[in-house]
């Protein structure tokens, strides 16, 4: 049955399959996309064609996209049944990373707001 | 053994006594990379803590040098391309290793290491220059967090290079034994993960950090 | 749950299909690498750079030595697994009879 034998036409991107050409294709596609995204990132960072405050957001979006390209094309994270555990682990990892970063920034921002400004604090020391 | 047959219990490698399902445990070539992936994710949690620190301290420059004065985007572009290409050829090395091709595996692994070494040299040059100008990790909180974050990534790359060298030696000495190919798989997972972290670093530290 | 069933029926569950068990070989590698890493840490604190390098090289060297071995596991043969399991079942049967009489 053609369904049982994985080849380039019936597998998710990055899933291992028999032909060397199709496996190499996954990496070439990944490299191409990553190069494009990198190029766009560097261009976005240096152009004045975009609205200022949007540039940082755009760069973050491009970075996330490139991380996705890496995960799918290089690390072969996909939704094939063999891969469910890997996807779950990744989701958990993303959760913890989000908590650590967002949580730390939130806390530090509150601390920043609630603490006396430095020059006042130093005046109290005198 | 198709997975349908396995699901209805026609394999005997599992048993209820050991808490395994009817299919039994997966093969080592699936379990080992999964375990290593879990480690890599925990490593990313480490980096996320360093990122959070950097984000909090990015403006704490203590009147000292700021990012715009210190970072050269051209160098960063070269570093990025070098690391990206090294990730790519690492993938090619894995394709060759799956086919037990000694020449191509060693060749691509060597190129991976070479490109990684190029990346590391540029980074070390950058660090040395900054320290020479007085912008070392002791100068300000911003610089401490910068050197810690990027330095930690560089330390990981260094360990990766040592690992690549060790794997090249092992493949040469022992051939493509099953467990050695599994180690190569783990190495490639590690190497790709390092490139993912570099994407975050160059975007947040070097690009967003130096927006006009 | 299985224990309650066993007590009620006064008999143990059927014997499973015994399999050989793969066990990893013991190794002192972890402890020795930790020792070298501690030496390195101590040296870095006191700026004893030569000792730090010794620590790093030692740690890496022990790791490579560990990675070089050809045997990683030993297998507990089916006969031994079966013998141990049956001995345990025998002891459980004895206690089971006592428990079943008392309930």
């Amino acid at each position: 049955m053609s369904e049982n034998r994985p080849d380039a036409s019936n597998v998710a991107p990055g899933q291992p399959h028999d032909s060397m050409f199709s496996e190499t294709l996954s990496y070439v596609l990944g490299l191409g996309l990553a190069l494009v995204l990198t190029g766009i990132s560097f261009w976005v960072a240096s152009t004045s064609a975009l609205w200022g405050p949007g540039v940082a957001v755009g760069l973050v979006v491009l970075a996330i996209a490139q991380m996705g390209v890496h995960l799918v094309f290089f690390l072969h994270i996909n939704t094939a049944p063999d891969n469910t555990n890997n996807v779950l682990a990744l989701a958990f990892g993303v959760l913890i990373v989000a908590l650590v970063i967002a949580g730390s920034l939130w806390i530090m921002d509150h601390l920043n707001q609630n603490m006396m400004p430095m020059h006042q604090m130093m005046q109290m020391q005198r | 053994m198709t997975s349908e047959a396995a699901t209805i219990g026609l394999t005997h490698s599992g048993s209820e006594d050991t808490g395994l399902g009817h299919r039994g445990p997966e093969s080592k070539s699936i379990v080992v990379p999964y375990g290593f992936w879990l480690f890599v994710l925990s490593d990313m949690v480490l980096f996320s803590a360093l990122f959070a620190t950097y984000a909090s301290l990015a403006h704490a420059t203590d009147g000292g040098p700021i990012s715009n004065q210190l970072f050269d985007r051209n160098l960063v572009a070269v570093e990025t391309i070098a690391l990206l290409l090294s990730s790519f050829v690492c993938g090619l090395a894995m394709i060759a290793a799956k086919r037990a091709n000694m020449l191509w595996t060693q060749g691509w692994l060597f190129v991976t290491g070479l490109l990684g070494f190029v990346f590391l040299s540029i980074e070390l040059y950058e660090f040395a220059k900054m320290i020479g100008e007085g912008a070392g990790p002791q100068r300000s909180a911003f610089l401490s967090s910068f050197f810690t974050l990027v330095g930690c990534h560089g330390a990981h790359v260094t360990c990766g290079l040592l690992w690549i060298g060790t794997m090249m030696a092992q493949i040469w000495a022992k051939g493509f034994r099953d467990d050695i190919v599994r180690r190569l798989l783990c190495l490639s997972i590690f190497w790709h993960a390092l490139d993912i972290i570099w994407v975050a670093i160059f975007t947040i530290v070097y690009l967003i950090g130096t927006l006009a | 749950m299985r224990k309650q069933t066993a007590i009620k029926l006064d008999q143990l569950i059927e014997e499973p299909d015994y399999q050989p068990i793969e066990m990893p070989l013991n190794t002192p590698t972890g402890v020795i690498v930790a020792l070298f890493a501690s030496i390195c840490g101590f040296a870095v604190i006191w700026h004893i750079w030569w000792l730090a390098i010794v620590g790093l090289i030692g740690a890496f060297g022990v790791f490579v030595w560990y990675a070089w071995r050809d045997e990683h596991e030993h297998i507990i043969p089916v006969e031994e697994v079966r013998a141990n399991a049956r001995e345990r079942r025998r002891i459980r049967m004895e206690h089971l009879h006592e428990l079943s009489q008392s309930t």
Side-chain angles (χ1 to χ4, degrees), chain C residues 28-46:
Chain C
T29 307
V31 177
I32 303 180
V33 168
L35 173 70
F36 276 110
S38 307
I39 292 176
C40 179
F42 174 81
V44 169
I45 291 174
W46 294 106

Side-chain angles (χ1 to χ4, degrees), chain A residues 67-108:
Chain A
M67 288 195 245
V69 165
H70 271 90
L71 284 170
V72 168
F73 289 96
F74 290 168
L75 282 169
H76 309 308
I77 305 285
N78 51 54
T79 47
D82 250 357
N83 248 295
T84 308
N85 286 321
N86 295 334
V87 173
L88 273 180
L90 174 67
F92 179 67
V94 166
L95 172 68
I96 300 298
V97 166
L99 284 177
V100 166
I101 296 186
S104 302
L105 291 177
W106 186 20
I107 292 176
M108 293 308 288

Side-chain angles (χ1 to χ4, degrees), chain B residues 12 16-17 28 162 166 169-170 173-174 177 179 183, chain C residues 2 16-17 19 22 60 64 67-70 72-73:
Chain B
H12 287 290
E16 269 184 45
D17 257 15
K28 280 201 183 137
L162 284 174
T166 311
Q170 260 204 344
K174 298 182 185 248
R177 211 169 62 192
D179 57 337
R183 289 175 192 173
Chain C
R2 253 196 263 176
D17 188 15
Q19 306 282 332
E22 278 183 350
F60 183 59
V64 172
W68 226 257
R69 59 178 196 180
D70 291 315
H72 303 289
E73 292 148 341

Side-chain angles (χ1 to χ4, degrees), chain A residues 8 13 18 23 25 35-36 39 45-46 66 74 82 89 93-94 102-103 115 122:
Chain A
D18 294 325
E23 284 187 16
L25 193 61
L35 280 171
V36 166
S46 55
Q66 192 176 146
F74 290 168
D82 250 357
V94 166
M115 277 176 63
M122 284 169 68

Side-chain angles (χ1 to χ4, degrees), chain C residues 3-103:
Chain C
K3 191 173 172 189
Q4 315 296 356
T5 316
I7 294 178
K8 229 180 359 172
L9 299 176
D10 191 19
Q11 90 184 54
L12 293 176
I13 198 172
E14 225 178 84
E15 263 194 340
D17 188 15
Y18 291 113
Q19 306 282 332
I21 300 180
E22 278 183 350
M23 285 288 294
L25 287 175
N26 291 333
T27 177
T29 307
V31 177
I32 303 180
V33 168
L35 173 70
F36 276 110
S38 307
I39 292 176
C40 179
F42 174 81
V44 169
I45 291 174
W46 294 106
H47 293 207
I48 312 171
W49 306 120
W50 66 265
L51 190 60
I53 304 212
V54 164
L56 285 176
I57 294 183
F60 183 59
V62 170
F63 167 67
V64 172
W65 165 79
Y66 165 76
W68 226 257
R69 59 178 196 180
D70 291 315
E71 309 265 306
H72 303 289
E73 292 148 341
H74 69 280
I75 308 222
I76 303 180
V78 172
E79 300 80 45
E80 203 177 319
V81 173
R82 189 174 294 129
N84 287 341
R86 285 192 174 150
E87 176 60 18
R88 185 163 183 267
R89 286 173 72 91
R90 191 186 63 73
I91 298 176
R92 283 174 65 207
M93 282 293 261
E94 289 176 13
H95 290 276
L96 193 57
H97 285 317
E98 296 171 19
L99 279 174
S100 302
Q101 312 307 352
S102 61
T103 49

